Amino acid sequence: MVKFVAEESMLAQASEVLSTQLQQAVDVLHTKTGKGCEFLGWLDFPQNVDNQYISDVKQIAQQIVSQSQVVVLIGIGGSYLGARALIEALCPNFSHPEPEIVYAGHHLSDKYLQKLYNILAKKDYSLVVVSKSGSTIETAATFGLLQRHCIDKYGLTEAKKRIVCITDQKEGILRAIVNKNAYSSLAIPADIGGRYSILTAVGLLPAAVAGLNIEQLMNGAKNMCSQILSSPKNVATQYAMCRTYLQSIGYNIEVLATFEPSLFYFAEWWKQLFAESEGKNHKGIFPTSMIYTTDLHSLGQYMQQGQRIMFETFLTIQYFSNNCKIKEEDLLDKQFNSLKNKSIGEINHLAQKATMKAHKRGNVPIIELNINDLSEYSLGELFYFFEYACAVSAYMQQINPFDQPGVAEYKKELTTLLSQ
Ligand code: PA5
């Protein structure tokens, strides 16, 4: 369950000013009549996904796991962030059970790739390349290099068993490569764009390779999907309405704040979703994130007393880990007596309460989104929740949530420079 909490007065004001606009946005989304409506496949995907799709994902994952010490996940933006968000949130922090998942193609660092080559020389590995269009330069350049490395290391026949492509069903360069080389592949539905694709093979295959329960992930998404689609007044529309209202009264920055550091990449996924969906026509809320308590000792100063231009969306978790209890003999000094018999989890929870109180007093408007626990099910719910809320928020501002013309601008310039 995702719980939405905001001050009654904020909700009442938002509803007074924006309920008509909200209703129109929801109507446009549901009747599939808005800008970008050819990319609404994600809207009911969790309800409609067939068992064959999931079992294909699991079968390919099994093959990869059986033959690899390392799996290189190649992709960028929506073809990378969701999978990393899931894996970083749910897999153990320190020990890397095999296969270890490493990332490539998410930037153009030569130094990074050189280090990766060094690892791949010593380990058995597989490549999973994700690109809907097949024409993204970072992904194409990196995959080209690693494909050659793989063929040089294993020979063509064996390399073919170690390369999996996740791409459009029919279109694009990567699909042509799959057809030519008979690589294993999984399809991204044509009507689902990059940043809305986490609940397709784009997120499911890496999650399954990492040993996560993808059925539970989809169950969570399905539950959230039915909850939201069955009632126009739901947690996602309330969130969309409140954030739009806060922007209308001058709060142009949204900070997604969490006290769980393993949600760092979840926040990266969230930033990409909202920035690429809303940041157009000189409109949109600027999305950023904070990981507390770490950032309380740096950006926290600004949050408390800097310009009042941001609101904070706290992503909180109901059941937190409570294992590391401080005993009397652990106390460094009597000034720390109040820590006695409290776990680090409890102290973190109290720090969260304290921060919310302090920031509220510092006039930062606060929204809280609470999930039950850190599990595949809860993250499935949360992914769908944010996708829906993001589409509604963009439609409330008459923005197409599903294109990214600004990103194309940089690609165009880079292509020109490369060809000079
Ligand atoms: O959300 C998006 O559409 C983008 O962030 C893309 O996912 C990203 O640019 C990668 O594109 P592709 O999957 O075509 O390589």
Side-chain angles (χ1 to χ4, degrees):
M1 192 164 53
V2 178
K3 271 194 232 141
F4 168 86
V5 188
E7 270 194 7
E8 280 301 318
S9 58
M10 185 203 295
L11 259 174
Q13 280 157 16
S15 165
E16 194 184 323
V17 185
L18 289 174
S19 54
T20 312
Q21 209 172 315
L22 175 67
Q23 191 52 53
Q24 281 163 356
V26 171
D27 288 348
V28 158
L29 182 63
H30 288 207
T31 54
K32 305 193 176 181
T33 48
K35 291 179 190 157
C37 59
E38 62 280 23
F39 290 108
L40 286 175
W42 58 272
L43 194 58
D44 51 10
F45 188 78
Q47 289 176 328
N48 294 338
V49 62
D50 62 38
N51 293 339
Q52 190 56 47
Y53 190 80
I54 302 290
S55 67
D56 288 352
V57 167
K58 286 171 85 173
Q59 197 194 328
I60 293 183
Q62 237 166 30
Q63 160 83 12
I64 294 174
V65 169
S66 69
Q67 66 193 12
S68 320
Q69 294 171 290
V70 170
V71 176
V72 189
L73 189 58
I74 307 160
I76 195 167
S79 287
Y80 145 77
L81 280 166
R84 189 160 193 179
L86 259 175
I87 292 165
E88 304 269 342
L90 299 178
C91 294
N93 278 356
F94 299 110
S95 56
H96 292 289
E98 282 190 355
E100 182 178 357
I101 297 178
V102 298
Y103 303 89
H106 55 309
H107 50 55
L108 291 167
S109 167
D110 203 86
K111 184 167 166 245
Y112 180 93
L113 209 53
Q114 187 54 52
K115 284 189 188 161
L116 183 57
Y117 278 145
N118 294 340
I119 292 168
L120 299 185
K122 291 182 230 137
K123 304 256 185 178
D124 274 322
Y125 70 88
S126 300
L127 304 177
V128 176
V129 56
V130 187
S131 180
K132 171 100 193 283
S133 64
S135 59
T136 303
I137 288 179
E138 290 89 337
T139 311
T142 308
F143 176 54
L145 286 168
L146 293 178
Q147 177 183 234
R148 175 156 58 83
H149 189 278
C150 191
I151 294 171
D152 288 349
K153 176 165 172 161
Y154 292 105
L156 187 59
T157 313
E158 175 65 16
K160 283 186 179 183
K161 295 185 199 144
R162 292 178 174 272
I163 295 175
V164 179
C165 303
I166 302 177
T167 188
D168 189 88
Q169 177 103 51
K170 295 191 192 130
E171 308 284 330
I173 296 162
L174 206 50
R175 181 51 63 189
I177 292 173
V178 169
N179 294 339
K180 182 170 159 227
N181 297 300
Y183 290 153
S184 295
S185 74
L186 289 161
I188 309 171
D191 55 1
I192 301 184
R195 57 191 171 276
Y196 284 80
S197 68
I198 166 67
L199 298 166
T200 71
V202 173
L204 296 178
L205 182 71
V209 169
L212 300 178
N213 187 332
I214 59 171
E215 276 95 354
Q216 279 297 85
L217 180 77
M218 291 311 286
N219 285 343
K222 191 172 166 185
N223 176 47
M224 185 49 63
C225 174
S226 352
Q227 211 180 301
I228 286 177
L229 297 186
S230 63
S231 155
K233 196 172 170 210
N234 58 62
V235 279
T237 51
Q238 285 193 313
Y239 168 59
M241 183 177 74
C242 276
R243 63 192 293 286
T244 308
Y245 169 70
L246 288 170
Q247 190 192 24
S248 76
I249 57 168
Y251 296 97
N252 282 305
I253 297 173
E254 179 174 11
V255 176
L256 186 75
T258 171
F259 280 73
E260 177 44 64
S262 63
L263 287 174
F264 177 88
Y265 275 96
F266 185 88
E268 294 299 298
W269 171 84
W270 174 87
K271 282 193 269 193
Q272 191 233 349
L273 177 69
F274 279 88
E276 280 197 345
S277 301
E278 274 192 316
K280 288 159 210 169
N281 309 337
H282 299 172
K283 292 183 186 172
I285 297 169
F286 183 81
T288 187
S289 61
M290 305 269 176
I291 303 295
Y292 295 149
T293 60
T294 310
D295 286 332
L296 287 176
H297 296 262
S298 59
L299 295 160
Q301 169 58 39
Y302 196 102
M303 290 303 292
Q304 192 65 47
Q305 294 181 329
Q307 285 191 70
R308 302 299 75 185
I309 49 178
M310 66 290 227
F311 64 96
E312 225 169 357
T313 298
F314 279 86
L315 182 52
T316 62
I317 305 168
Q318 177 121 29
Y319 296 105
F320 50 87
S321 142
N322 225 346
N323 296 320
C324 306
K325 216 162 223 167
I326 296 176
K327 294 191 182 143
E328 180 134 31
E329 60 264 37
D330 303 324
L331 299 172
L332 298 185
D333 183 86
K334 61 176 182 315
Q335 67 166 302
F336 297 117
N337 275 353
S338 60
L339 302 182
K340 195 173 117 188
N341 292 331
K342 296 203 173 64
S343 73
I344 292 292
E346 273 175 283
I347 300 169
N348 197 30
H349 183 69
L350 293 175
Q352 180 180 295
K353 275 185 148 174
T355 307
M356 286 165 98
K357 261 183 125 170
H359 288 183
K360 198 170 155 200
R361 203 173 46 242
N363 291 324
V364 180
I366 286 177
I367 291 172
E368 185 182 351
L369 300 173
N370 181 269
I371 54 172
N372 275 359
D373 54 11
L374 257 195
S375 64
E376 287 89 337
Y377 189 91
S378 292
L379 289 185
E381 289 188 317
L382 205 54
F383 280 124
Y384 187 87
F385 166 87
F386 278 127
E387 285 178 351
Y388 186 93
C390 182
V392 169
S393 298
Y395 278 147
M396 285 182 81
Q397 301 167 73
Q398 274 82 47
I399 289 168
N400 178 353
F402 307 114
D403 64 356
Q404 52 284 325
V407 181
E409 285 296 312
Y410 126 81
K411 287 186 185 169
K412 219 161 56 193
E413 291 297 338
L414 177 57
T415 310
T416 310
L417 287 179
L418 284 169
S419 60
Q420 271 164 13

